[in-house]
Amino acid sequence: MDILQTIQNLREELNLHNHNYYVLDAPTISDFEFDQKLKQLQELENQHPEYFDENSPTQRVGGAVTKNFQTVVHDFRMYSLDNSYSKEDLTDWENRIQKVLGNVAITYTCELKYDGASISITYENGKLKRAVTRGDGFQGDDVTTNIKTIRSIPLHLKGNNYPKKFDIRGEIILPLVGFEKMNQDLIEIGETPYANPRNTASGSLKLQDSSEVAKRPLDCLLYSIVGNNLPFQTQFEGLQSARDWGFKAPPQAQLAQNLHEVFEFIDYWDTHRHDLPYETDGVVIKVNSIQYQEELGYTAKSPRWAIAYKFKSEQVSTILNSISYQVGRTGAITPVANLKPVQLAGTVVKRASLHNADQIEKLDIRIGDTVFVEKGGEIIPKIIAVDFSQRPESTKPTQYITHCPECQTELVRNEGEANHYCPNFYGCPPQIIGRIQHYISRKAMDIEGLGGETVGLLYNNGLVHNYADLYELTVEQVLPLERMAQKSAENLVNGIEKSKEIPFENVLYALGIRYVGETVAKKLARHYKNIDALQNASLMDLILVDEIGDRIANSVIEFFENTENQIIVNRLKQYGVQFEIVEKVNPNATQKLAGKTFVVSGVFTVFSRDGLKEAIEDNGGKVGSSISAKTDYVIAGDNMGPAKLEKANQLKIPIITENDFISMLNETQN
Ligand code: AMP
Ligand code: ZN
């Protein structure tokens, strides 16, 4: 079979598995097999850039960076929806439309109202062409590269009875589990968590780096197809067609023969919406017949044939018993409200987050107050207000704590930061334990046989004071600990021993330097190659690394300036922990570009900047940081700086495009 055929078969197969996994939620192969096939495809595509396809499943990982999103006019306007808040409102609505239609029986499609960011995606000849945000309804931003990273959105449609060209509309959402996970990761590195899934979803669409979007667990729920000559007569059939073509149109949508059945749908979902994996703030009711829809038409801002019904957000009142203060791994203090237990949205609520001192002051919340609690996007409910009419006499404004509840050190609050923190990094128990727990966690040193709780035990029994101490532990020492047996003690010690093989980039992440998350750790590890180079880097030097800003650079400097950290790092070195990158041997590596030096400038579409540099080095070329007489080629993307352009012209260095570079890889013989 020829290469192109193999590539096409792989693409088709992977598209199908993507659909099974992300749309139908029913995978038929293992993740491992899927990854293997994807890797195989990626390798073939690397070797044969001439078969590049922007809609290949390999493009899902993103990479392209968009500096300015282009404004695009919608072929069909994106309307808003009128709102209703009661059954009377809906009855009034039906009366209004019946006047226009002349007292016919009206069937409705009832759907959930998904709470995210609206999107309109254009398909032409079965291929995803463009995705545009709602904007002002007339025109929005072209966010195609970001949208393509969302796995449940088909790049190629299934079947063959789709219109030649149509737009499909839906909502980009962030399922609750994924949202919580993202926040957990942020808290891990000492960053402020996101406020709610909706804003995070819409913010994600405007990220410049599509590979960052690819990492977010976004999903897309589709609800309407617009275009000319559509092959269905009703909204409900439209949803079914969308599913047939490979889209995720949620199965909860239901036909209602009359308003009474609409009310049943509303009542059902009012109580069951919290069982859904994502947020919904209401129901959308649509006249089912498209012919009727056309007769009804639009007002200045919304269709007359559809209306949203908003659920009342569930609130209860209860009493604030006390406020406790938690100390995180980075020392950040989070106040938590301890409430008189109360039933809310199907669960018993005992605690609510109070975020920070400002929040407490804003609410003017005091012990003994009756407070209103609401369940929003977060799993932890929040306090929205105090019922001042119920305030007991003689309460005093809440005094925020001034000292750490764990180590009694005076708290500090940096200008511009929301949270207080305990500055006693090296002596505050939850910070010490938290750092060791982070060190052993899966994405860091991934130490098998050692869990978070055991870390607490080890610390409390005086066996470890920092993560370097782990490497001195013996089976005899840990054996007396609670719930330890010979076998588990041996596993623990072996697990720690094995962590000496964990690659440098994970080790760097494991050190728990503030603001150095997984991605930054990778960047720094690849750039500096070993810990000594990183440790010796100056502030300026660090800032010059792609995507490293002031804040991260300062944090790195501060970490290595600390003598305690220096001692710990030296000890880890002596134990044999990896502090150097092991260069991977790339099976596709060639010497096609040997002896040539390239300078890369601007923003690219096929490659990310790092990807482009990698491709040069993988093929034996060198990447220069500035244009000089030694430069052989400048690869210019969008927005190449004018100074560089002039310099290249002065020195008469050929300026080539990304595509020229791809052809170069392709043509040059070994
Ligand atoms: P609003 O922004 O409150 O005017 O509500 C209108 C928006 O609701 C639309 O622009 C859609 O993005 C969104 N929406 C969510 N779910 C649906 C649905 N099932 N049908 C129509 N629109 C929906
Ligand atoms: Zn403390």
Side-chain angles (χ1 to χ4, degrees), residues 79-81 83 111-114 118 134 171 223 284 286 310:
Y79 286 91
S80 305
L81 287 171
N83 286 324
E111 296 165 31
L112 294 169
K113 189 168 189 290
Y114 320 117
S118 20
R134 178 161 88 167
E171 203 79 358
Y223 53 74
V284 184
K286 298 173 184 172
K310 294 269 183 151

Side-chain angles (χ1 to χ4, degrees), residues 393-410:
E393 273 170 44
S394 80
T395 57
K396 284 196 213 78
T398 299
Q399 292 295 324
Y400 203 78
I401 49 167
T402 51
H403 290 74
C404 176
E406 303 279 347
C407 74
Q408 281 68 51
T409 304
E410 190 169 357

Side-chain angles (χ1 to χ4, degrees), residues 530-602:
N530 61 60
I531 194 98
D532 295 328
L534 176 63
Q535 224 164 336
N536 291 330
S538 68
L539 188 65
M540 247 350 257
D541 194 34
L542 279 160
I543 292 173
L544 287 177
V545 180
D546 240 6
E547 283 173 56
I548 305 295
D550 276 17
R551 199 179 53 146
I552 300 173
N554 273 312
S555 169
V556 171
I557 298 272
E558 218 174 278
F559 183 89
F560 288 112
E561 267 173 7
N562 180 286
T563 18
E564 188 142 354
N565 287 332
Q566 289 167 6
I567 294 169
I568 291 176
V569 168
N570 275 334
R571 280 177 61 200
L572 291 175
K573 259 190 215 166
Q574 276 157 17
Y575 299 133
V577 170
Q578 300 295 313
F579 277 114
E580 207 170 308
I581 239 178
V582 181
E583 299 282 355
K584 282 195 218 90
V585 187
N586 183 343
N588 297 325
T590 72
Q591 287 303 316
K592 284 179 181 177
L593 308 176
K596 303 259 186 304
T597 300
F598 294 78
V599 171
V600 171
S601 174

Side-chain angles (χ1 to χ4, degrees), residues 355-481:
H355 301 291
N356 52 49
D358 289 344
Q359 184 70 6
I360 291 176
E361 199 177 322
K362 206 170 99 201
L363 291 169
D364 181 21
I365 190 170
R366 306 178 186 186
I367 312 284
D369 267 343
T370 298
V371 296
F372 295 109
V373 183
E374 187 178 295
K375 212 152 190 187
E378 305 94 296
I379 307 274
I380 299 186
K382 62 172 170 244
I383 293 177
I384 43 172
V386 171
D387 184 349
F388 292 111
S389 71
Q390 305 280 336
R391 173 165 284 174
E393 273 170 44
S394 80
T395 57
K396 284 196 213 78
T398 299
Q399 292 295 324
Y400 203 78
I401 49 167
T402 51
H403 290 74
C404 176
E406 303 279 347
C407 74
Q408 281 68 51
T409 304
E410 190 169 357
L411 300 180
V412 287
R413 186 182 194 181
N414 286 339
E415 172 121 15
E417 280 186 15
N419 288 84
H420 286 72
Y421 72 94
C422 165
N424 185 16
F425 296 116
Y426 299 97
C428 183
Q431 297 190 55
I432 298 172
I433 296 173
R435 263 196 307 276
I436 305 175
Q437 286 171 337
H438 170 77
Y439 184 84
I440 66 162
S441 66
R442 213 174 47 80
K443 285 191 285 182
M445 300 304 274
D446 194 18
I447 297 186
E448 263 174 64
L450 177 55
E453 245 172 88
T454 312
V455 170
L457 284 178
L458 289 171
Y459 174 80
N460 290 331
N461 284 280
L463 292 173
V464 296
H465 302 95
N466 56 52
Y467 39 68
D469 291 345
L470 291 172
Y471 295 90
E472 305 266 359
L473 284 175
T474 62
V475 173
E476 294 70 43
Q477 277 179 319
V478 295
L479 204 46
L481 294 182

Side-chain angles (χ1 to χ4, degrees), residues 9 237 272 324:
N9 289 351
E237 288 162 14
H272 288 82
S324 42

